[in-house]
Coordinates of all heavy atoms in Angstrom, one line a residue:
G893 N 129.7 52.7 142.5 CA 130.0 51.3 142.4 C 129.0 50.4 143.2 O 129.0 49.2 142.9
N894 N 128.3 51.0 144.1 CA 127.5 50.1 145.0 C 126.2 49.7 144.4 O 125.5 48.8 144.9 CB 127.2 50.9 146.3 CG 128.3 50.8 147.3 OD1 129.2 49.9 147.2 ND2 128.4 51.7 148.2
G895 N 125.7 50.3 143.3 CA 124.4 50.0 142.7 C 123.5 51.1 142.8 O 123.8 52.3 143.1
A896 N 122.2 50.9 142.6 CA 121.1 51.9 142.7 C 120.9 52.2 144.1 O 121.0 51.3 145.0 CB 119.9 51.4 142.0
L897 N 120.5 53.4 144.4 CA 120.2 53.9 145.8 C 118.8 53.8 146.1 O 117.9 54.4 145.4 CB 120.8 55.3 146.0 CG 120.6 55.9 147.4 CD1 121.5 55.1 148.4 CD2 121.1 57.3 147.4
S898 N 118.4 53.1 147.2 CA 117.0 53.0 147.6 C 116.8 53.5 149.0 O 117.7 53.3 149.9 CB 116.6 51.5 147.6 OG 115.3 51.3 148.0
F899 N 115.7 54.2 149.2 CA 115.4 54.8 150.6 C 114.0 55.3 150.6 O 113.3 55.4 149.6 CB 116.4 55.9 150.9 CG 116.4 57.0 149.9 CD1 115.6 58.1 150.0 CD2 117.3 56.9 148.8 CE1 115.7 59.2 149.0 CE2 117.3 57.9 147.8 CZ 116.5 59.0 147.9
R900 N 113.5 55.5 151.8 CA 112.3 56.2 152.1 C 112.5 57.6 152.4 O 113.3 57.9 153.3 CB 111.4 55.5 153.2 CG 110.1 56.3 153.5 CD 109.4 55.6 154.6 NE 108.1 56.3 154.9 CZ 107.2 55.9 155.8 NH1 107.4 54.8 156.5 NH2 106.1 56.6 156.1
F901 N 111.9 58.6 151.8 CA 112.1 60.0 152.0 C 110.8 60.6 152.4 O 109.9 60.8 151.6 CB 112.6 60.6 150.7 CG 113.2 62.0 150.8 CD1 114.6 62.1 151.1 CD2 112.5 63.2 150.7 CE1 115.2 63.4 151.2 CE2 113.0 64.4 150.8 CZ 114.4 64.5 151.0
N902 N 110.7 60.9 153.7 CA 109.5 61.4 154.3 C 109.6 62.9 154.6 O 110.3 63.4 155.6 CB 109.2 60.7 155.6 CG 107.8 61.0 156.1 OD1 107.0 61.8 155.5 ND2 107.5 60.5 157.3
Y903 N 109.1 63.7 153.7 CA 109.1 65.2 153.7 C 107.9 65.7 154.4 O 106.8 65.6 153.9 CB 109.3 65.7 152.3 CG 109.4 67.2 152.1 CD1 110.6 67.8 152.1 CD2 108.2 68.0 151.9 CE1 110.6 69.2 151.8 CE2 108.3 69.3 151.7 CZ 109.5 69.9 151.6 OH 109.6 71.3 151.4
Q904 N 108.1 66.4 155.6 CA 107.0 66.8 156.4 C 107.0 68.3 156.7 O 107.6 68.7 157.7 CB 107.1 66.0 157.8 CG 107.2 64.5 157.6 CD 107.8 63.8 158.8 OE1 107.3 63.9 159.9 NE2 109.0 63.2 158.7
P905 N 106.3 69.1 155.9 CA 106.3 70.5 156.2 C 105.5 70.8 157.5 O 104.5 70.0 157.8 CB 105.5 71.1 155.0 CG 105.6 70.0 153.9 CD 105.7 68.7 154.6
L906 N 105.9 71.8 158.2 CA 105.2 72.1 159.5 C 104.0 73.0 159.3 O 103.2 73.2 160.2 CB 106.2 72.7 160.5 CG 107.5 71.9 160.8 CD1 108.4 72.6 161.8 CD2 107.1 70.5 161.2
G907 N 103.9 73.6 158.1 CA 102.8 74.4 157.8 C 101.7 73.8 157.0 O 101.4 72.6 157.1
D908 N 101.2 74.5 156.0 CA 100.1 74.0 155.1 C 100.6 73.4 153.9 O 99.7 72.9 153.1 CB 99.2 75.2 154.8 CG 98.5 75.8 156.0 OD1 98.3 75.1 156.9 OD2 98.3 77.1 155.9
N909 N 101.9 73.3 153.6 CA 102.4 72.7 152.4 C 102.1 71.2 152.4 O 102.0 70.6 153.5 CB 103.9 73.0 152.2 CG 104.1 74.4 151.9 OD1 103.2 75.1 151.3 ND2 105.3 74.9 152.2
T910 N 102.2 70.6 151.2 CA 101.8 69.1 151.1 C 103.0 68.2 151.5 O 104.1 68.4 151.0 CB 101.5 68.9 149.6 OG1 100.5 69.7 149.2 CG2 101.0 67.4 149.4
P911 N 102.7 67.3 152.4 CA 103.7 66.2 152.7 C 104.0 65.4 151.5 O 103.2 65.2 150.6 CB 103.0 65.4 153.8 CG 101.9 66.3 154.3 CD 101.4 67.1 153.1
R912 N 105.2 64.8 151.5 CA 105.6 64.0 150.3 C 106.4 62.8 150.9 O 107.5 63.0 151.5 CB 106.5 64.8 149.4 CG 105.8 66.0 148.9 CD 106.7 67.0 148.1 NE 106.0 68.3 148.0 CZ 106.5 69.2 147.2 NH1 107.6 69.1 146.5 NH2 105.8 70.4 147.1
D913 N 105.9 61.6 150.8 CA 106.4 60.5 151.5 C 106.4 59.3 150.5 O 105.3 58.9 150.1 CB 105.6 60.1 152.7 CG 106.2 59.1 153.6 OD1 107.4 58.6 153.3 OD2 105.6 58.7 154.6
S914 N 107.6 58.8 150.1 CA 107.6 57.7 149.1 C 108.9 56.9 149.3 O 109.9 57.3 149.9 CB 107.5 58.2 147.7 OG 108.7 59.0 147.4
Y915 N 108.7 55.6 148.9 CA 109.9 54.8 148.8 C 110.4 55.1 147.4 O 109.7 55.2 146.4 CB 109.6 53.3 148.9 CG 109.1 52.9 150.2 CD1 107.8 52.6 150.5 CD2 110.0 52.8 151.3 CE1 107.3 52.3 151.8 CE2 109.6 52.4 152.6 CZ 108.2 52.1 152.8 OH 107.8 51.7 154.0
Q916 N 111.8 55.1 147.2 CA 112.3 55.4 145.9 C 113.6 54.7 145.6 O 114.3 54.4 146.5 CB 112.5 56.9 145.7 CG 113.3 57.6 146.8 CD 113.0 59.1 146.9 OE1 113.6 59.9 146.1 NE2 112.1 59.5 147.7
V917 N 113.8 54.4 144.4 CA 115.0 53.8 143.9 C 115.6 54.7 142.8 O 114.9 55.1 141.9 CB 114.8 52.4 143.3 CG1 116.1 51.8 142.8 CG2 114.1 51.5 144.3
L918 N 116.9 55.1 143.0 CA 117.5 56.1 142.1 C 118.7 55.5 141.4 O 119.5 54.8 142.0 CB 118.0 57.3 142.9 CG 116.9 58.1 143.6 CD1 117.5 59.2 144.4 CD2 115.9 58.7 142.7
D919 N 118.8 55.7 140.1 CA 120.0 55.4 139.3 C 120.9 56.6 139.4 O 120.6 57.6 138.8 CB 119.5 55.1 137.9 CG 120.7 55.0 136.9 OD1 121.8 55.4 137.2 OD2 120.4 54.5 135.8
V920 N 121.9 56.5 140.2 CA 122.7 57.7 140.5 C 123.7 58.0 139.4 O 124.4 59.0 139.4 CB 123.5 57.6 141.8 CG1 122.5 57.5 143.0 CG2 124.5 56.4 141.8
W921 N 123.9 57.0 138.4 CA 124.8 57.3 137.3 C 124.1 58.1 136.2 O 124.7 59.0 135.6 CB 125.2 55.9 136.6 CG 125.5 54.8 137.6 CD1 126.6 54.8 138.4 CD2 124.7 53.7 138.0 NE1 126.5 53.7 139.2 CE2 125.4 53.0 139.0 CE3 123.4 53.3 137.6 CZ2 124.9 51.9 139.6 CZ3 122.9 52.1 138.2 CH2 123.6 51.4 139.1
R922 N 122.8 57.8 135.9 CA 122.1 58.5 134.8 C 120.9 59.3 135.3 O 120.2 59.8 134.5 CB 121.6 57.4 133.8 CG 122.8 56.6 133.2 CD 122.2 55.5 132.3 NE 121.5 54.5 133.0 CZ 120.9 53.4 132.5 NH1 121.1 53.2 131.2 NH2 120.3 52.6 133.2
N923 N 120.8 59.5 136.6 CA 119.7 60.3 137.2 C 118.3 59.8 136.7 O 117.6 60.6 136.0 CB 119.9 61.8 136.9 CG 120.9 62.4 137.9 OD1 121.6 61.7 138.6 ND2 120.8 63.7 138.0
K924 N 118.0 58.6 137.1 CA 116.6 58.1 136.8 C 116.0 57.7 138.2 O 116.7 57.5 139.1 CB 116.7 56.9 135.9 CG 117.3 57.1 134.5 CD 117.2 55.9 133.7 CE 117.8 56.2 132.3 NZ 117.6 55.0 131.4
A925 N 114.7 57.7 138.2 CA 114.1 57.4 139.5 C 112.7 56.7 139.4 O 112.0 56.9 138.4 CB 113.8 58.8 140.2
V926 N 112.4 55.9 140.4 CA 111.0 55.3 140.5 C 110.6 55.5 142.0 O 111.3 55.1 142.9 CB 111.0 53.8 140.1 CG1 109.7 53.2 140.5 CG2 111.3 53.6 138.7
H927 N 109.5 56.1 142.2 CA 108.9 56.3 143.5 C 107.7 55.5 143.7 O 106.9 55.3 142.7 CB 108.5 57.8 143.7 CG 109.6 58.8 143.7 ND1 109.8 59.6 144.9 CD2 110.5 59.1 142.8 CE1 110.8 60.4 144.6 NE2 111.3 60.1 143.4
T928 N 107.5 54.9 144.9 CA 106.3 54.1 145.2 C 105.7 54.7 146.4 O 106.3 55.0 147.4 CB 106.7 52.6 145.5 OG1 107.4 52.1 144.3 CG2 105.5 51.8 145.7
S929 N 104.4 54.8 146.4 CA 103.6 55.4 147.5 C 103.8 54.5 148.8 O 103.8 53.2 148.6 CB 102.2 55.4 147.2 OG 101.4 55.7 148.3
V930 N 103.9 55.1 149.9 CA 104.0 54.3 151.2 C 102.7 53.7 151.6 O 102.7 52.8 152.4 CB 104.7 55.1 152.3 CG1 106.0 55.6 151.9 CG2 103.7 56.3 152.7
T931 N 101.6 54.1 151.0 CA 100.3 53.6 151.4 C 99.7 52.8 150.4 O 98.7 52.1 150.6 CB 99.4 54.8 151.7 OG1 99.3 55.7 150.6 CG2 99.9 55.6 152.9
D932 N 100.2 52.8 149.1 CA 99.6 52.0 148.0 C 100.7 51.6 147.1 O 101.2 52.4 146.3 CB 98.6 52.8 147.3 CG 97.9 52.1 146.1 OD1 98.3 50.9 145.9 OD2 97.1 52.7 145.4
S933 N 101.1 50.3 147.2 CA 102.3 49.9 146.4 C 102.0 49.9 144.9 O 103.0 49.7 144.1 CB 102.7 48.5 146.9 OG 101.6 47.6 146.6
T934 N 100.8 50.1 144.5 CA 100.5 50.1 143.0 C 100.6 51.5 142.5 O 100.6 51.7 141.3 CB 99.1 49.6 142.7 OG1 98.1 50.5 143.3 CG2 98.9 48.2 143.3
A935 N 100.7 52.5 143.4 CA 100.8 53.9 142.9 C 102.3 54.3 142.8 O 103.1 54.2 143.8 CB 100.1 54.8 143.9
K936 N 102.7 54.6 141.6 CA 104.2 54.9 141.4 C 104.3 56.1 140.4 O 103.4 56.5 139.7 CB 104.8 53.7 140.7 CG 104.8 52.4 141.5 CD 105.4 51.3 140.8 CE 105.4 50.0 141.6 NZ 106.3 50.0 142.7
Y937 N 105.5 56.7 140.5 CA 105.8 57.7 139.5 C 107.3 57.7 139.3 O 108.1 57.1 140.1 CB 105.3 59.1 139.9 CG 105.9 59.8 141.1 CD1 107.1 60.6 141.0 CD2 105.4 59.6 142.3 CE1 107.6 61.2 142.1 CE2 105.9 60.2 143.4 CZ 107.1 61.0 143.3 OH 107.6 61.6 144.4

């Protein structure tokens, strides 16, 4: 009931795996998502 969920999720592997850091907005009712790069606001997926 609160709306779409927004947060920054900063995934930081301690080894050689790729970091993943983005701002995201999630539709928790229908499982939809938009991610925005933390370094370039025009980069999204």
